[in-house]
Amino acid sequence: MTEDATTPIIPTALLEALCFDANGLVPAIAQQHDTGEVLMMAWMNREALAETLATGRVCYWSRSRNRLWRKGETSHQVQYLKELRIDCDGDTILLLVDQDGVACHTGRRACFYRAARDGALVEIAAPLIDPEKLYG
Amino acid sequence: MTEDATTPIIPTALLEALCFDANGLVPAIAQQHDTGEVLMMAWMNREALAETLATGRVCYWSRSRNRLWRKGETSHQVQYLKELRIDCDGDTILLLVDQDGVACHTGRRACFYRAARDGALVEIAAPLIDPEKLYG
């Protein structure tokens, strides 16, 4: 791959430590930096990672749309990167972020709003914003 | 699939909401229930999930060893399940756990001990236990 002067780059130490899967992707967990809440999990390719580091705004790779997904590009619920960490095997990224508004497309703060309790799935968080207002 | 009386089962509501990938796996994030620390990310298949729910001890599917991986089976660093949550798309699990000792095979509390800072990878946590003592 050639890089021109305007292409964001990934620091060599990080790139060498990361293991992208057969599709060129690595899972990225987004955690609110101050409260510790796990907001969501999505995927990054090299381009999404490079852009995230260059801009400080989190960019994922959308597997369903097969293109870069700048978090908040439609909903305006942006994630600002505070710190990027990787795990011992280099096959998972942890993003410490500052989440504007809500992370979930359902209008909830976090995507993990269903808990398995007593054989049922229980909703443990309500939407804070009407999804119609985010995407309508 | 037939189940005999001793086979752990997954509640129907949970099974119907979960989306396993083409390999029959779903990523599972382990978070310490009280501190909020993200400890690790690994994978579960239906069997690992069923066993985890049945026993209350977290069991993953090891992709490298191609078998069930009862967390702590060798190291004795067991994860006890406090609550299991799933995300909006049903393609990621969040495990709230109580981690005995350390989660990482390097002897660190959590696997995410390397941070990308100023173009370098910085170790932000030291081992608490010698890995030799865990796996010696």
Side-chain angles (χ1 to χ4, degrees), chain A residues 36 83-84 87 114 116-117, chain B residues 31 83-84 87 114 116-117:
Chain A
E83 179 154 281
L84 186 148
D87 73 349
R114 294 182 289 176
R117 293 181 183 170
Chain B
Q31 181 181 32
E83 178 154 281
L84 185 147
D87 73 351
R114 293 180 290 177
R117 294 181 184 170

Side-chain angles (χ1 to χ4, degrees), chain B residues 16-92:
Chain B
E16 288 179 350
L18 274 174
C19 295
F20 292 87
D21 71 10
N23 297 312
L25 301 175
V26 60
I29 302 161
Q31 181 181 32
Q32 176 65 28
H33 73 102
D34 47 4
T35 65
E37 187 173 20
V38 176
L39 298 168
M40 57 180 285
M41 204 278 275
W43 298 78
M44 286 183 159
N45 62 3
R46 288 170 181 77
E47 192 179 354
L49 173 59
E51 179 171 315
T52 297
L53 291 169
T55 65
R57 283 182 54 164
V58 178
C59 176
Y60 299 101
W61 178 259
S62 169
R63 297 180 301 170
S64 57
R65 288 171 288 175
N66 209 40
R67 66 167 177 83
L68 288 177
W69 164 30
R70 295 174 177 93
K71 180 72 180 162
E73 62 192 1
T74 306
S75 68
H76 305 299
Q77 313 295 294
V78 173
Q79 284 177 353
Y80 297 96
L81 183 68
K82 305 291 280 189
E83 178 154 281
L84 185 147
R85 298 180 187 165
I86 65 172
D87 73 351
C88 50
D89 298 323
D91 61 6
T92 307

Side-chain angles (χ1 to χ4, degrees), chain A residues 59-131:
Chain A
C59 175
Y60 299 101
W61 178 258
S62 169
R63 296 180 302 170
S64 57
R65 288 172 286 175
N66 209 40
R67 66 168 177 83
L68 288 178
W69 165 28
R70 295 173 178 95
K71 179 72 179 160
E73 63 192 359
T74 305
S75 67
H76 306 297
Q77 312 295 294
V78 172
Q79 285 177 353
Y80 296 96
L81 183 68
K82 305 291 281 188
E83 179 154 281
L84 186 148
R85 297 180 187 165
I86 64 172
D87 73 349
C88 50
D89 297 323
D91 61 7
T92 306
I93 290 172
L94 177 64
L95 304 166
L96 300 181
V97 304
D98 195 15
Q99 171 73 56
D100 260 359
V102 298
C104 185
H105 76 287
T106 65
R108 293 173 175 87
R109 175 70 176 168
C111 295
F112 298 96
Y113 63 86
R114 294 182 289 176
R117 293 181 183 170
D118 300 325
L121 268 188
V122 180
E123 291 201 3
I124 58 172
L128 302 179
I129 303 177
D130 182 346

